[in-house]
Amino acid sequence: QQKVQQSPESLSVPEGGMASLNCTSSDRNFQYFWWYRQHSGEGPKALMSIFSDGDKKEGRFTAHLNKASLHVSLHIRDSQPSDSALYFCAASEPQGGRALIFGTGTTVSVSP
Amino acid sequence: DPKIIQKPKYLVAVTGSEKILICEQYLGHNAMYWYRQSAKKPLEFMFSYSYQKLMDNQTASSRFQPQSSKKNHLDLQITALKPDDSATYFCASSHGTGVYEQYFGPGTRLTVL
């Protein structure tokens, strides 16, 4: 069973709109969460990390973590066509910190 | 200049053969990793190395063997290739094996016929 689930599978957003992505973990050992973005034909690239409950904002991107429910979200404000990509949530354990366990991914398409 | 180099970019192999995927990083990192991405599964962790020593192995098959000749090199040898091994293999690196951002290479797309 996949330990990190993402929803929705795909998302269409108009340029300038807001994209909201969700991620839920089934393993309470996962304490640290990351959002990665992968453009077609490239390797994933980290967008941001979130380790504490609450919100974390970096530019147009805001992540939210609720450790009690093991739920993480990512909101992309003022979406641009260049934001069109595959987005992954990834989780890791605190003491291990070695393996990143990736979610199933959300494909975001931003239309001009 | 690319900081993580993976060679080759594309690789076609026949069932039963052996291939080596090359990875070099020039970020000065101490930890390196291999991940696999196939159409059927999300990015899947395979191995992690720190200072050239194996730290974690979540690959069930012994057909996959990482090889580290230098601190900034982590190659992946795959023997007795099967069609199910067809995937894109990504090398990654990080400053250490603590909670550090992992930087990914461009990947090697392997097709096994």
Side-chain angles (χ1 to χ4, degrees), chain A residues 2 32 34 36 38 41-44 46 51 88 96-100 102-104, chain B residues 9 33 35 37 42-43 45 48 55-56 58 90 97-102 104-105:
Chain A
Q2 191 65 31
Y32 300 129
W34 302 81
Y36 276 77
Q38 184 180 27
E42 299 179 4
F51 304 152
F88 290 105
R98 301 158 189 168
L100 278 177
F102 282 81
T104 48
Chain B
K9 187 169 178 62
Y33 313 80
Y35 290 81
Q37 185 176 36
L43 276 158
F45 171 82
S48 63
M55 300 298 290
D56 197 0
Q58 295 190 16
F90 289 101
T97 53
V99 187
Y100 296 102
E101 177 181 342
Q102 293 185 18
F104 284 74

Side-chain angles (χ1 to χ4, degrees), chain A:
Chain A
Q1 183 182 353
Q2 191 65 31
K3 289 187 176 183
V4 180
Q5 295 282 350
Q6 289 184 241
S7 65
E9 281 190 24
S10 62
L11 183 60
S12 292
V13 184
E15 185 174 358
M18 173 80 82
S20 295
L21 291 68
N22 297 294
C23 171
T24 303
S25 170
S26 60
D27 190 334
R28 290 206 167 271
N29 290 321
F30 293 151
Q31 293 291 306
Y32 300 129
F33 294 87
W34 302 81
W35 284 100
Y36 276 77
R37 180 166 75 179
Q38 184 180 27
H39 285 107
S40 181
E42 299 179 4
K45 184 176 180 180
L47 278 175
M48 60 192 303
S49 61
I50 185 163
F51 304 152
S52 303
D53 279 330
D55 292 337
K56 181 177 181 181
K57 183 178 179 181
E58 291 189 3
R60 297 184 293 110
F61 300 89
T62 300
H64 177 83
L65 172 60
N66 181 327
K67 285 191 175 183
S69 61
L70 296 178
H71 181 259
V72 190
S73 60
L74 178 69
H75 304 278
I76 308 172
R77 174 179 57 83
D78 188 24
S79 296
Q80 301 298 308
S82 58
D83 293 327
S84 296
L86 181 56
Y87 288 75
F88 290 105
C89 170
S92 67
E93 298 180 10
Q95 65 274 21
R98 301 158 189 168
L100 278 177
I101 306 302
F102 282 81
T104 48
T106 295
T107 299
V108 174
S109 299
V110 181
S111 52

Side-chain angles (χ1 to χ4, degrees), chain B residues 20-64:
Chain B
I20 296 179
L21 282 57
I22 306 293
C23 177
E24 306 169 10
Q25 58 92 2
Y26 296 93
L27 293 164
H29 288 165
N30 301 311
M32 296 185 71
Y33 313 80
W34 278 102
Y35 290 81
R36 174 170 54 191
Q37 185 176 36
S38 65
K40 299 177 184 178
K41 294 183 180 180
L43 276 158
E44 182 183 16
F45 171 82
M46 301 178 73
F47 300 97
S48 63
Y49 267 66
S50 177
Y51 292 97
Q52 295 184 264
K53 292 188 177 180
L54 179 67
M55 300 298 290
D56 197 0
N57 175 0
Q58 295 190 16
T59 302
S61 174
S62 60
R63 296 186 299 107
F64 295 86

Side-chain angles (χ1 to χ4, degrees), chain B residues 57-110:
Chain B
N57 175 0
Q58 295 190 16
T59 302
S61 174
S62 60
R63 296 186 299 107
F64 295 86
Q65 289 293 329
Q67 299 171 342
S68 180
S69 59
K70 299 179 186 178
K71 193 181 87 169
N72 69 326
H73 283 230
L74 185 65
D75 300 336
L76 181 64
Q77 180 186 39
I78 313 174
T79 58
L81 279 161
K82 302 177 180 181
D84 272 355
D85 296 331
S86 297
T88 300
Y89 290 80
F90 289 101
C91 173
S93 70
S94 65
H95 177 72
T97 53
V99 187
Y100 296 102
E101 177 181 342
Q102 293 185 18
Y103 294 78
F104 284 74
T108 291
R109 181 179 287 185
L110 172 66

